[in-house]
Amino acid sequence: MKKVLLGVVVLVFLGLSGWLAYYFYQKANTDPVVYKTEAPFETEIVKKTVATGSIVPRKEVQVKSQVSGIVEELHVEAGEIVKKGQLLAKIRIVPNMVSVNNAETNLQTARLNFEEAKRELARYDELYAQKVIPEQEYRRYKADFALKQEAMQAAENNLQLVREGSSRKRGQQSSNLVYSTIDGMLLDVPIKVGTSIIERNNFNEGTTIATVADMRSLVFEGKIDESEVGKLKENMDLVLTIGAIEGRTFDAKLEYISPKGVDEEGSIKFPIRAQVVLDEKDFIRAGYSANADIVLDKRDKVMAIKESVLQFDKGKPYVEVETAPQQFEKRMIKTGLSDGINIEVVSGLDEKEKVKVPNVGIAQT
C-alpha cells in the first residue's frame, strides 16, 4: 500500500512539474503586449438629433361638388398647374323626383297666385283711374302684385336648380360647375368621367373632385423623442435628407413644436414642423419621406479625442497617458461636448501627449 501511495505522489509531482515547465516556457516565448496610442486632435464637434417624417404642402385643399350627380366633363388631370376659379369639372345632376315634384307644385301655386294678383291689379287700375279708390289702397295692390310676381320667379328658379343645378337668375353661378378654390398644382384627381358623386353638406364630406396644393410652400412634418424635445427651440436650423433625392440636402427652419406628445410604439413622441427652404429650380414631390438632422450644439476648432479611448472611474472620466514607450499613467480629465464619436477635452490633457487605446492587441504605436 505504501508503495502505491508513493507512486501516486511521484506521478502527481512529475505532472505538476511538467505543467509548470510548459507554462514558464510559453511565458518566456510570448511577445509582449503592445498598446495602440492616439494623440488629441483639433476638430469641429456637432451634437445633433434626428427626426423622421415627410415633406407635405403647407396649403392643401380638397375641392368638392355642391351637388350630387354624375361627372359629365373633366377638364384637368393630376400634375397640372391651375389658377383660382379655373373650371375643373361639370356635373350632370340626377334630379330627386320628390324634390322635382315639390318644386313643380310650388311653381304651379305661385303662378295661380300671380294670375289672380294680375287680374286684381288690372281691376284696381281702372278704379284708381276713375278716382274711386284712394292712392294708398292702390299702392297696396301694386305691392301685392310685385310680391306674387317675385314668388313665381323664385319658384321657377328653384325648379330649374333642382333639375339642372343652375338657374336663369342673372349673375348666379351654376352649382353643377366645379372650380378650383386656390392657385396650385393638382396632386390628385380621383374621379373619372361617368363617376357618381355626392354633394358636400352638413351630414357628409362629399366626393373629392380634386386635391390642389401650393407646391412652392412645403413643410417638413416629423416627430421627435421626448428625451430630445426639451433641447429644441423655434427657429433652429435643420438639414433634411430625402431618401428619393440622392446626393442632396435641403435646409429648413424649425417653426413649431407640439405642446402635447403622442404614444407611438410604447414611446412618447412630439410632432414638429419646419419650413423647407427651396431654390427656384427645386421641385420636391409631396409625400417624400425625409430625415431631419437638428443641430443641438456646436463647437468649432476644439481639442478632442475619440470616445473609445475614454475610461471611467466612479463616473469620472480619465485616460491613460503614455509617459515612456508602452508605459502609461492614469490621468483625470474634464470633457465637454460629444457627438457620439469624438468628445471635447476641456482640460487635463496636452495636444502633444498620447493616450492609450483600452483595447488590447498587437499593433504598432
Side-chain angles (χ1 to χ4, degrees), residues 140 147 300 302:
R140 180 166 59 83
L147 290 174
D300 291 323
V302 296

mmCIF file of all heavy atoms in Angstrom, residues 140 147 300 302:
data_model
loop_
_atom_site.group_PDB
_atom_site.id
_atom_site.type_symbol
_atom_site.label_atom_id
_atom_site.label_comp_id
_atom_site.label_asym_id
_atom_site.label_seq_id
_atom_site.Cartn_x
_atom_site.Cartn_y
_atom_site.Cartn_z
ATOM 1 N N ARG A 140 -101.068 99.429 -52.296
ATOM 2 C CA ARG A 140 -101.030 98.131 -51.585
ATOM 3 C C ARG A 140 -101.261 96.989 -52.551
ATOM 4 O O ARG A 140 -100.612 95.943 -52.477
ATOM 5 C CB ARG A 140 -102.074 98.143 -50.481
ATOM 6 C CG ARG A 140 -102.141 96.841 -49.675
ATOM 7 C CD ARG A 140 -102.952 97.054 -48.403
ATOM 8 N NE ARG A 140 -104.309 97.490 -48.688
ATOM 9 C CZ ARG A 140 -105.317 96.663 -49.008
ATOM 10 N NH1 ARG A 140 -105.086 95.369 -49.073
ATOM 11 N NH2 ARG A 140 -106.515 97.127 -49.251
ATOM 12 N N LEU A 147 -95.042 91.223 -55.254
ATOM 13 C CA LEU A 147 -94.637 90.102 -54.405
ATOM 14 C C LEU A 147 -95.018 88.768 -55.040
ATOM 15 O O LEU A 147 -94.234 87.803 -55.012
ATOM 16 C CB LEU A 147 -95.277 90.225 -53.021
ATOM 17 C CG LEU A 147 -94.751 91.360 -52.129
ATOM 18 C CD1 LEU A 147 -95.574 91.466 -50.851
ATOM 19 C CD2 LEU A 147 -93.282 91.096 -51.767
ATOM 20 N N ASP A 300 -16.489 74.794 -32.609
ATOM 21 C CA ASP A 300 -15.542 74.920 -33.723
ATOM 22 C C ASP A 300 -14.116 74.901 -33.204
ATOM 23 O O ASP A 300 -13.781 75.566 -32.212
ATOM 24 C CB ASP A 300 -15.792 76.221 -34.483
ATOM 25 C CG ASP A 300 -17.109 76.206 -35.239
ATOM 26 O OD1 ASP A 300 -17.466 75.142 -35.772
ATOM 27 O OD2 ASP A 300 -17.778 77.249 -35.278
ATOM 28 N N VAL A 302 -11.938 72.740 -31.627
ATOM 29 C CA VAL A 302 -11.652 72.372 -30.240
ATOM 30 C C VAL A 302 -10.768 71.126 -30.219
ATOM 31 O O VAL A 302 -10.741 70.347 -31.176
ATOM 32 C CB VAL A 302 -12.955 72.107 -29.452
ATOM 33 C CG1 VAL A 302 -13.783 73.366 -29.344
ATOM 34 C CG2 VAL A 302 -13.766 70.976 -30.114
#
